Amino acid sequence: MKHNAIKKTMVFVSALTLCAGLTACSGNQEKTAEKFLTSVQSQDFTAAMSCMDEENRLNRVFSAVDGVSVPELDEVYRTFSQQMNEMTFEILGKGENPGEFNVRIKNRDYDTAIKEAMNAAIQPQTETGNNEFSNYAGWLGQGVSQAVLGQETEETMTISKDNGGVIKTVDNLDFFGLLTGDFYSYTNLTMTTCTLTNEEQVSTYHIAARGDRVMGCIMVDTIMLDFSKATEEEVDLLVEETEKQMRGKKGIYGNATAGEGSITTTVGIDFNQTEQADLITMGLIDSSRGYKEYLSLKTTIEGFESQGMTCVTSPQYK
């Protein structure tokens, strides 16, 4: 499936996880379900990791508790892991298919809190040019710390027969989302910075994404212009018209300033809130792709790099 991409435009004119999946969690599937949930709740993360396959991204989160996993995010991972003792669960019984167990779980709603924290970071960086948004560990950690308990919800977990019972990630994405208050979907969070400098412009773009799904961005473009024949009123009008294009649009924040022979536009976008119709109207995404399921980080980077930008993504997950 093709996905949309942010369009480069101007608005105006680890070693500690080795035990995971290698040591049998328990002797049978039912005991695996009980042992895993109890281990997570009691913060016995070594035991919990022994119940998951190596592909599970919670391995990198739990490994940070007693060591180094992802240096940029380890403090966030530790905070999240320490809060897992607030998670409550009840195994309701076996599901319809072999190895399935119906569970009821209550945990903090990390998804809502993290989205709110990201939005709160986009707005001030758009206005001041500081690093509230580009410091992704900062707003991710703030969201984790401020998350409140959500609703109790039921889900099915599936235990395979491998090694006496292993919780395979591919079979349990919804379960891990519920177990972690959807923090699991932020365990592949990245911040990509794309830059371009030439005689005509200087551009810096910061793009936050969960995997390939873009969540938000801030784009700063300084364009060199000849104002020698323009009056001060004409320059002010250009700035005003540029800013007008960004006003009154949900999830879009921006400003424009005129310098000596240049104009700088700053656009911040929260893709959790904005409408694709507004983005297309403003020329911020490629209208030829129409309305797609989500904005693709991979496609966006490819488009920027084809226009001469240099992009660096952090962190680099192993």
Side-chain angles (χ1 to χ4, degrees):
M1 175 185 292
K2 289 184 177 180
H3 297 293
N4 219 324
I6 306 171
K7 185 178 178 183
K8 183 181 180 301
T9 185
M10 294 172 289
V11 175
F12 79 110
V13 209
S14 120
L16 291 174
T17 66
L18 288 176
C19 64
L22 299 180
T23 304
C25 178
S26 69
N28 61 55
Q29 294 163 305
E30 188 168 1
K31 289 182 179 179
T32 293
E34 179 72 30
K35 178 179 179 179
F36 174 72
L37 290 166
T38 301
S39 298
V40 170
Q41 186 184 59
S42 64
Q43 300 179 326
D44 183 355
F45 298 118
T46 299
M49 288 188 290
S50 74
C51 298
M52 302 184 297
D53 58 16
E54 293 180 342
E55 288 72 30
N56 197 297
R57 298 195 299 269
L58 286 180
N59 287 316
R60 69 167 67 119
V61 175
F62 294 155
S63 293
V65 173
D66 295 316
V68 177
S69 178
V70 182
E72 300 92 332
L73 294 171
D74 280 350
E75 284 302 316
V76 179
Y77 291 167
R78 292 183 189 114
T79 300
F80 167 79
S81 299
Q82 290 164 2
Q83 293 173 348
M84 286 302 287
N85 64 351
E86 300 176 15
M87 182 271 296
T88 60
F89 73 90
E90 179 184 358
I91 298 177
L92 303 175
K94 294 184 178 181
E96 295 182 359
N97 301 310
E100 290 185 349
F101 296 89
N102 298 320
V103 296
R104 181 184 294 124
I105 292 176
K106 185 175 184 177
N107 202 352
R108 294 193 185 204
D109 180 3
Y110 291 99
D111 182 47
T112 297
I114 292 171
K115 287 176 179 176
E116 290 175 350
M118 185 192 74
N119 182 271
I122 289 176
Q123 297 184 54
Q125 183 164 337
T126 300
E127 296 170 359
T128 66
N130 294 329
N131 70 340
E132 292 91 342
F133 173 70
S134 53
N135 176 21
Y136 59 97
W139 53 261
L140 180 65
Q142 184 176 26
V144 168
S145 298
Q146 295 180 350
V148 298
L149 286 175
Q151 298 294 316
E152 197 172 51
T153 308
E154 295 181 12
E155 188 54 76
T156 299
M157 64 185 301
T158 302
I159 315 296
S160 75
K161 295 182 180 180
D162 299 349
N163 297 323
V166 172
I167 307 172
K168 291 186 176 180
T169 305
V170 68
D171 297 328
N172 290 278
L173 291 176
D174 290 339
F175 164 72
F176 283 112
L178 173 60
L179 175 71
T180 64
D182 207 30
F183 182 75
Y184 190 84
S185 67
Y186 294 90
T187 54
N188 59 356
L189 177 72
T190 60
M191 181 67 70
T192 299
T193 301
C194 298
T195 58
L196 174 67
T197 301
N198 57 38
E199 294 181 354
E200 298 178 347
Q201 71 180 88
V202 176
S203 298
T204 301
Y205 299 168
H206 300 289
I207 309 162
R210 295 185 293 177
D212 190 50
R213 184 184 296 268
V214 174
M215 297 174 57
C217 72
I218 290 181
M219 300 185 290
V220 182
D221 290 294
T222 298
I223 310 301
M224 310 308 165
L225 298 173
D226 182 5
F227 289 145
S228 61
K229 297 181 180 180
T231 65
E232 184 176 343
E233 290 75 15
E234 288 173 331
V235 174
D236 290 343
L237 180 61
L238 175 61
V239 171
E240 172 65 21
E241 289 299 317
T242 300
E243 290 189 331
K244 188 183 296 184
Q245 297 180 51
M246 296 178 273
R247 293 177 188 154
K249 295 179 174 60
K250 187 177 180 181
I252 298 176
Y253 315 93
N255 63 67
T257 57
E260 190 67 30
S262 67
I263 185 169
T264 298
T265 61
T266 303
V267 183
I269 306 173
D270 183 344
F271 292 104
N272 298 311
Q273 297 188 10
T274 193
E275 300 291 339
Q276 283 203 20
D278 287 335
L279 299 174
I280 291 174
T281 299
M282 295 176 66
L284 292 169
I285 63 174
D286 187 352
S287 61
S288 67
R289 295 176 179 269
Y291 296 86
K292 302 299 179 183
E293 181 184 358
Y294 66 85
L295 289 166
S296 165
L297 176 65
K298 179 177 181 293
T299 304
T300 294
I301 291 175
E302 289 173 351
F304 287 165
E305 290 181 335
S306 71
Q307 298 175 58
M309 301 194 84
T310 299
C311 297
V312 177
T313 298
S314 179
Q316 293 292 318
Y317 295 111
K318 297 180 180 179

